[in-house]
Amino acid sequence: MAISAYLNFPGNTREAVEYYAEVFNVEVTNLATFDSVPAHPDYPLPPGTEKHIMHARIHAYGSDLMFSDTFPGMPLTMGNNITLAIVINDAEELTRVYNRISGDGTATMPLQETFWSKLYGQATDKFGILWQFNMEI
């Protein structure tokens, strides 16, 4: 099982991910912009945000750091912009952990299939930590 840090930024993720890749002397992987993923009719992209980062990843010292710009209009408090991401390929285990954390805390996004994952969800635990659950394909 892997637990990775996921960092969110208010529009400057490209700068941040390039900085950390340089610091750790690694390559940026899985870089996707908001306009490179399927559009959602209920959440149109505001003009000027098409090239903001939807997802990027670097691998340093055996761990992944993942990055994203917040969707325009979503609240973000710098300092509270880090979540923990569980990324595994075992649906049963992912569901078990999600149910425990969301049961003791709050489900913020139910486990569901997305365009990037067979199973993805989010929950805030009883200590106020936001977790992402992602089934690696």
Side-chain angles (χ1 to χ4, degrees):
M1 177 166 42
I3 299 177
S4 303
Y6 205 109
L7 294 87
N8 296 109
F9 295 90
N12 62 334
T13 294
R14 186 178 302 274
E15 176 186 358
V17 73
E18 288 173 357
Y19 171 80
Y20 290 117
E22 182 182 337
V23 166
F24 297 120
N25 197 28
V26 297
E27 296 295 318
V28 177
T29 60
N30 299 346
L31 186 90
T33 56
F34 280 127
D35 67 350
S36 70
V37 298
H40 192 291
D42 294 335
Y43 303 102
L45 289 176
T49 62
E50 300 84 3
K51 297 300 179 194
H52 284 190
I53 305 302
M54 187 269 195
H55 179 76
R57 181 187 332 205
I58 64 172
H59 188 79
Y61 308 122
S63 295
D64 285 331
L65 287 175
M66 296 180 287
F67 304 82
S68 180
D69 283 312
T70 56
F71 192 79
M74 293 185 72
L76 177 70
T77 302
M78 296 308 290
N80 294 336
N81 58 322
I82 298 174
T83 61
L84 297 177
I86 297 174
V87 182
I88 59 175
N89 61 6
D90 183 333
E92 186 176 317
E93 178 65 5
L94 191 71
T95 300
R96 183 191 72 75
V97 175
Y98 173 86
N99 287 340
R100 177 64 191 271
I101 287 178
S102 65
D104 293 337
T106 305
T108 53
M109 181 179 180
L111 286 175
Q112 59 193 281
E113 187 170 345
T114 66
F115 69 87
W116 70 85
S117 177
K118 290 289 183 190
L119 203 56
Y120 177 83
Q122 296 181 7
T124 301
D125 71 19
K126 65 182 183 178
F127 302 105
I129 305 298
L130 180 60
W131 291 81
Q132 295 183 56
F133 301 84
N134 194 32
M135 186 169 154
E136 192 167 59
I137 299 172

